[in-house]
Amino acid sequence: IEILSWDWALHVGMAPDSVPQEQRHQGGLIYSRGLDINGRIVTPDALKGKTARFWISPVAPDIIFGPEGLPHVGQLHPRDEGGGPDLEATLFLPKDALPGVLTCLASAWKYLHIWTREPPPTTAGITDFAFSRHDT
């Protein structure tokens, strides 16, 4: 995916009643930070030219992946509605990697590569992702 734009976004809001008390800040706030990336698919040919939006969430070291935890590093979803990107995804990034990722996005990286369990355009678990300066 060719990266067209990105932002280091912050969302702050009032916590709904369904959010556990220990996940609220200052009694009733929730907030999330993440990378919001917009891009255009360059491969595979069947999806070439379609648009994609990725939300990359930093995760704490206590989040477990694998058989006893999360089965993938993200999830890709096709969108049927008009007016937005053709595909949307959420990716998880170790919190410790965030400073380097932000620096490289600002200076060198131009492509986001993803690998999925199922071929798009179905909802797919993302097994791997990487950034690079080049499309191959």
Side-chain angles (χ1 to χ4, degrees):
I1 293 119
E2 179 184 14
I3 298 170
L4 301 176
S5 66
W6 67 275
D7 191 15
W8 174 228
L10 170 66
H11 172 85
V12 178
M14 297 300 295
D17 293 339
S18 60
V19 174
Q21 190 63 36
E22 63 272 8
Q23 293 179 5
R24 297 172 185 221
H25 301 279
Q26 296 177 289
L29 291 178
I30 58 168
Y31 72 91
S32 62
R33 301 235 31 185
L35 284 168
D36 190 6
I37 296 176
N38 290 289
R40 182 177 21 251
I41 298 171
V42 294
T43 188
D45 287 340
L47 298 174
K48 190 173 188 170
K50 292 192 178 287
T51 56
R53 181 177 182 208
F54 293 84
W55 177 262
I56 301 179
S57 294
V59 294
D62 60 342
I63 301 296
I64 304 297
F65 291 86
E68 301 297 320
L70 296 173
H72 43 70
V73 296
Q75 197 160 33
L76 180 68
H77 304 279
R79 288 189 32 146
D80 293 329
E81 311 95 52
D86 299 305
L87 298 168
E88 288 189 330
T90 301
L91 300 171
F92 301 115
L93 178 75
K95 198 178 215 177
D96 294 347
L98 190 58
V101 168
L102 290 171
T103 299
C104 290
L105 273 172
S107 62
W109 289 342
K110 302 203 182 326
Y111 294 91
L112 170 60
H113 310 272
I114 63 167
W115 292 265
T116 63
R117 293 188 193 277
E118 300 83 18
T122 63
T123 295
I126 297 171
T127 59
D128 304 83
F129 69 94
F131 291 94
S132 73
R133 177 185 296 255
H134 304 286
D135 64 349
T136 56

